[in-house]
Amino acid sequence: MPTKRQLPTARLRRLAREMRRLRSEAGLTREEIAASTAINQATLYRLEYAKGRPQKRTLLTLLKEYGVEEAERDAILALSSQADEQGWLRPYHADLPDELVGYISFESEARSVRNYESLFIPGLLQTEDYARATVSRGVGPGVTAKQVDQRVQARLERQVVFTKDTPLELWAIVDEAALRRVVGGPAVMTEQLRHLLKVAVEPHVMLQVIPFSSGAHPGMPGSFVLMDFSDPEDPELVYIDSMAGDLFLEAEEDVRRYDQIFDHLRALAASPDDSLNLIASAVCENT
């Protein structure tokens, strides 16, 4: 059986960035470190780009080589010990796709999420019946009922981010098409829309709709998520889910581009009050 690859976590990404910084500040190349420590360059690359968590022995060797003092060394060792933690994950979710596990790990640690959806209600705002209808149709042939149940349960458990001491801040923008497409039948869709009317007035949720009357807009090519983290050392992260696969982007130019697209969509969308009116009108059409 193939070894399950290291899943990304915000802490692992932070540790990798710290290791790159320390080596850079020490003025050393990976080739030089490999020559002086016998730690091969492939291992160094994996550690510096969040491909795996270092063994404690390897980490101690590197920190000594970089001249890291005791207080900073202890902080990095503590970060490394927590780097694999997937606090949200339940044992019976072990079969979830790696990309989904990685996404939820980041989402669970995010301070705020900006989510644009062109065809679906955002996952954090879905009801169970709506989620089941989208998962059943959206995961492809050959998926068992048990796997559908696991993915639906995972989607619902994601919503615990709203019940934390400091709830996740969600700014969701949806195209009107997501309101008008009857997913799961009229009763399921009506329940979903009424749920949106309820959660949209929560202080940690901002919901806007881009009406059909707005015409073409920059969000039409597809959905995306922007995540922001409480720790200033954790840069924003972009997540894109497409037919070609899931993609995480953290390069500054990519984040800036999606920041600008989201700002454009926010300005184009109806105001929060007018968006609630659009949702209410969609409820009336389904009843």
Side-chain angles (χ1 to χ4, degrees), residues 71 111 134 140 153 239 251:
R111 174 181 62 186
T134 59
Q153 188 62 30
Y239 171 77

Side-chain angles (χ1 to χ4, degrees), residues 150-178:
Q150 288 176 330
R151 297 190 190 193
V152 170
Q153 188 62 30
R155 186 167 300 183
L156 297 176
E157 287 177 359
R158 286 168 51 196
Q159 298 174 13
V160 73
V161 294
F162 292 139
T163 64
K164 297 189 298 185
D165 291 340
T166 303
L168 176 80
E169 297 176 7
L170 173 66
W171 193 321
I173 299 175
V174 299
D175 192 282
E176 187 175 352

Side-chain angles (χ1 to χ4, degrees), residues 88-97 99-105 107-108 123-128 131-132 135 139 145-161:
W88 69 275
L89 194 61
R90 305 293 186 265
Y92 51 87
H93 289 164
D95 294 332
L96 291 174
E99 293 80 4
L100 176 58
V101 173
Y103 174 83
I104 301 177
S105 173
E107 183 183 72
S108 68
L124 287 173
L125 302 179
Q126 291 181 8
T127 64
E128 180 173 357
R132 185 169 300 280
V135 169
V139 296
K146 179 180 177 181
Q147 289 171 321
V148 170
D149 288 342
Q150 288 176 330
R151 297 190 190 193
V152 170
Q153 188 62 30
R155 186 167 300 183
L156 297 176
E157 287 177 359
R158 286 168 51 196
Q159 298 174 13
V160 73
V161 294

Side-chain angles (χ1 to χ4, degrees), residues 19 33 37-40 43-44 47 53-66 77 80:
M19 298 309 292
I33 293 298
T37 66
I39 300 172
N40 66 58
T43 297
L44 290 170
L47 303 185
R53 183 169 68 86
Q55 295 182 356
K56 185 176 181 180
R57 179 179 64 242
T58 300
L59 188 56
L60 285 170
T61 299
L62 291 173
L63 295 177
K64 181 179 179 180
E65 191 76 10
Y66 300 154
L77 288 172
S80 177

Side-chain angles (χ1 to χ4, degrees), residues 20-264:
R20 294 198 304 270
R21 176 185 65 81
L22 290 169
R23 181 173 60 78
S24 176
E25 290 180 354
L28 297 168
T29 65
R30 280 198 289 269
E31 292 84 352
E32 291 170 332
I33 293 298
S36 62
T37 66
I39 300 172
N40 66 58
Q41 292 186 49
T43 297
L44 290 170
Y45 175 83
R46 285 177 55 80
L47 303 185
E48 293 186 359
Y49 287 91
K51 303 299 183 182
R53 183 169 68 86
Q55 295 182 356
K56 185 176 181 180
R57 179 179 64 242
T58 300
L59 188 56
L60 285 170
T61 299
L62 291 173
L63 295 177
K64 181 179 179 180
E65 191 76 10
Y66 300 154
V68 176
E69 296 184 357
E70 182 177 0
E72 186 175 14
R73 182 198 65 193
D74 291 346
I76 291 174
L77 288 172
L79 180 60
S80 177
S81 70
Q82 301 167 357
D84 290 341
E85 290 184 4
Q86 303 277 356
W88 69 275
L89 194 61
R90 305 293 186 265
Y92 51 87
H93 289 164
D95 294 332
L96 291 174
D98 285 351
E99 293 80 4
L100 176 58
V101 173
Y103 174 83
I104 301 177
S105 173
F106 285 128
E107 183 183 72
S108 68
E109 297 201 33
R111 174 181 62 186
S112 67
V113 164
R114 286 170 289 163
N115 184 189
Y116 165 72
E117 292 290 345
S118 56
L119 294 174
F120 296 99
I121 303 302
L124 287 173
L125 302 179
Q126 291 181 8
T127 64
E128 180 173 357
D129 288 340
Y130 182 95
R132 185 169 300 280
T134 59
V135 169
S136 298
R137 295 284 184 167
V139 296
V143 178
T144 67
K146 179 180 177 181
Q147 289 171 321
V148 170
D149 288 342
Q150 288 176 330
R151 297 190 190 193
V152 170
Q153 188 62 30
R155 186 167 300 183
L156 297 176
E157 287 177 359
R158 286 168 51 196
Q159 298 174 13
V160 73
V161 294
F162 292 139
T163 64
K164 297 189 298 185
D165 291 340
T166 303
L168 176 80
E169 297 176 7
L170 173 66
W171 193 321
I173 299 175
V174 299
D175 192 282
E176 187 175 352
L179 307 181
R180 303 297 180 182
R181 184 176 299 277
V182 181
V183 173
V188 169
M189 197 64 203
T190 297
E191 178 192 23
Q192 175 62 75
L193 294 171
R194 286 175 173 161
H195 179 66
L196 288 183
L197 292 174
K198 178 181 177 181
V199 297
V201 297
E202 295 292 333
H204 51 272
V205 176
M206 176 73 73
L207 178 60
Q208 289 182 270
V209 177
I210 300 178
F212 286 145
S213 59
S214 296
H217 60 76
M220 293 177 70
S223 306
F224 62 90
V225 178
L226 280 155
M227 298 185 195
D228 177 67
F229 300 88
S230 298
D231 193 316
E233 295 300 317
D234 288 333
E236 288 182 71
L237 186 68
V238 177
Y239 171 77
I240 302 169
D241 180 12
S242 72
M243 293 289 288
D246 298 358
L247 183 64
F248 291 98
L249 303 173
E250 58 182 330
E252 185 176 342
E253 60 270 23
D254 291 325
V255 173
R256 182 167 58 248
R257 177 159 53 92
Y258 279 93
D259 271 333
Q260 293 171 346
I261 293 173
F262 193 89
D263 285 345
H264 189 101

